[in-house]
Structure formats: C-alpha cells, structure tokens
Amino acid sequence: MSEGILALASYRAVGLVAAFAGMIACRTDGNSDSVRNSSETKDNMSITKGTVSASTETRADRTLRTPVVLFFGTSLTAGYGLDPEQAFPSLIEKKAADEGVPIKAINAGLSGETTAGAVRRIDWVLRTPADMVVVEAGANDSLVRLSPDAARANLERLIAAVRAKQPQTKIVLVQMEAPPNYGVAYTRSFRSVYTDVAKKENIPLLPFLLNGVAGIARLNQPDGVHPNLSGERIVADNIWKALKPIVAQLDRGSQRG
C-alpha cells in the first residue's frame, strides 16, 4: 500500500466531505496570489578612479545567483490560516539557506484554486521569472469529483503554458489525492493522473503533499483539512527532502555584484 493510501486512510469517514469542502469555501482575500518577491543582495563595491583590482573582480565573478522557486498551488500552498512566513514555501526557503543551497521562494498559492483556474492564472503569475515552478494542483478538483481525465488534461495544459512562457524553467509536480470515501475506483484513477502526467511530461513527481499530516487532528486546523504550524513543518520537511536534490541542480551561474 502506498504512502498516499496510508496517509489518507486515517481520515474519518464521518464529516470528511464537509471538512474537505471547506477547502473550496475558503475565502480568497488575504490568501489569493500571496506572491512574495524578495530582492537579491547586491555587493556594493567601491571603485576608485574607474579601476577595479584583480582580486576584487574575482570576488565579484564568484558571486552566485540565488535561484527563484515559484510554489504555485491552492490554499495548501498559500498557508491558509497561517502567517505567510509559516507557510511551507517560506519554511523551505529557510531550510534551503540553512543547508547551503539557498533559494528565493515565491508563494503563489490561491485558496479555492482548481486545475482549470490554474491554467487561466499561470501566465499572470509567470510575469515573475522563475528557475523552478512547483505545481500543487488538483485537491479542489477531487472534492467535486472532477473527471480524472479532465484534471489530467488541465495539468498538461498548465505544464505546456509554463514551457511556452518560460522554456528554461524546471517544472516539478506534487502528488495529490482524492478523499478515500469517494470510492476505490475514483481515488485510484485520481492518483494515477499525477504519475501519468509526470511520466508523459518527463518531470519529477514529489510525494503526496500531506503525507504524515492528513487525518491527524493535532496536526491540522479545526477544519481538519489545512495543516496547523506543526503540520506545516512536517509538510515542509517532506517536500524539501524530495525537492533538495532537484534544487541543487539549478543553475546558479556567476554574476557580478
């Protein structure tokens, strides 16, 4: 049995649909497009009489660029109910810095987002250049039992849109799951959407976003759907563990300060 199945099996059947429905009903104000752009640190060099010493120039040449990682998703990415710095993209940014592979994390989560909505929104979000786009989409689709084929098509369109807008951007997909009480056939079909898309598009697939958090009351907010800070830290740990080797391969080309 996969980790996704084990994580989701812990959900209580009673009230599950109502709890998940809260994800769709979440207010978008305060969470929509919570895009956070941080500016790069510049090396202020003093130049005397228009000359730069060889050692100073060498130091400038060795200044590495910090890659931009755009986390694009739903209220689960936005950090619904939490402060912005407590959402898992921000927690991952801190982990990356601590472990010597710094990134700039941009949180483009939107409460209530669907895969169809993501396709419509991605061009606007990609006005910010990104080295990597981490796609978390589909949770809200499963709540209304959207056809897995429709979700698959939307994800493929989303990936095509990213490639058209920013061809050099690395794309990573996050596994999502349908509520277990929707029936085995649907949950299996929905789960397979992500493996199918990742294989077809030749992109990395990260583990289920809520592994070790879904269905555990002490790790979630009262709605039973969105992680609290303790749960969010587990999400960040899980995603970063899988994402780190991919981030480590991003181009950090030298730049002048």
Side-chain angles (χ1 to χ4, degrees):
M1 186 175 289
S2 69
E3 288 183 343
I5 296 174
L6 290 173
L8 283 168
S10 61
Y11 277 109
R12 293 185 177 86
V14 178
L16 179 63
V17 176
F20 268 88
M23 194 180 287
I24 295 179
C26 290
R27 295 177 58 192
T28 58
D29 53 311
N31 286 285
S32 63
D33 301 320
S34 54
V35 179
R36 193 170 50 81
N37 291 297
S38 57
S39 60
E40 293 183 354
T41 302
K42 293 185 178 180
D43 180 16
N44 295 317
M45 298 167 54
S46 60
I47 302 177
T48 305
K49 296 181 180 180
T51 62
V52 182
S53 68
S55 61
T56 301
E57 185 172 4
T58 300
R59 286 196 300 271
D61 289 341
R62 291 178 180 174
T63 300
L64 297 181
R65 187 178 60 84
T66 301
V68 174
V69 178
L70 176 70
F71 291 86
F72 183 74
T74 68
S75 58
L76 293 171
T77 291
Y80 178 82
L82 302 173
D83 292 333
E85 65 272 13
Q86 295 174 334
F88 78 81
S90 292
L91 298 179
I92 285 177
E93 181 180 77
K94 294 173 185 175
K95 287 178 178 294
D98 291 343
E99 296 181 23
V101 281
I103 62 171
K104 289 181 180 178
I106 297 180
N107 190 331
L110 175 64
S111 292
E113 185 73 286
T114 62
T115 54
V119 173
R120 292 190 293 268
R121 188 166 66 101
I122 190 62
D123 278 354
W124 183 88
V125 172
L126 287 179
R127 292 185 302 177
T128 299
D131 295 276
M132 177 186 290
V133 175
V134 179
V135 177
E136 174 267 305
N140 291 316
D141 298 74
S142 72
L143 302 183
V144 295
R145 298 192 66 148
L146 180 72
S147 161
D149 288 340
R152 182 184 293 106
N154 287 336
L155 287 173
E156 290 173 356
R157 281 194 287 268
L158 176 61
I159 292 165
V162 175
R163 286 174 171 161
K165 190 80 171 182
Q166 296 188 24
Q168 302 305 314
T169 297
K170 181 77 172 179
I171 304 170
V172 178
L173 183 63
V174 180
Q175 176 75 50
M176 298 306 296
E177 301 277 358
N181 60 328
Y182 280 15
V184 174
Y186 182 80
T187 56
R188 284 180 177 173
S189 294
F190 190 82
R191 182 181 303 116
S192 69
V193 164
Y194 295 85
T195 53
D196 292 348
V197 170
K199 182 177 180 179
K200 178 180 178 181
E201 302 295 339
N202 192 28
I203 60 176
L205 178 64
L206 302 189
F208 173 44
L209 185 75
L210 300 178
N211 268 343
V213 176
I216 302 176
R218 62 182 175 81
L219 298 177
N220 287 277
Q221 298 177 46
D223 62 12
V225 174
H226 297 92
N228 57 27
L229 181 55
S230 295
E232 200 77 351
R233 286 171 175 156
I234 293 174
V235 170
D237 286 343
N238 292 341
I239 295 298
W240 175 238
K241 182 179 179 180
L243 195 61
K244 181 179 178 180
I246 306 172
V247 167
Q249 296 175 11
L250 292 177
D251 180 17
R252 296 174 181 269
S254 296
Q255 66 176 18
R256 289 189 183 276

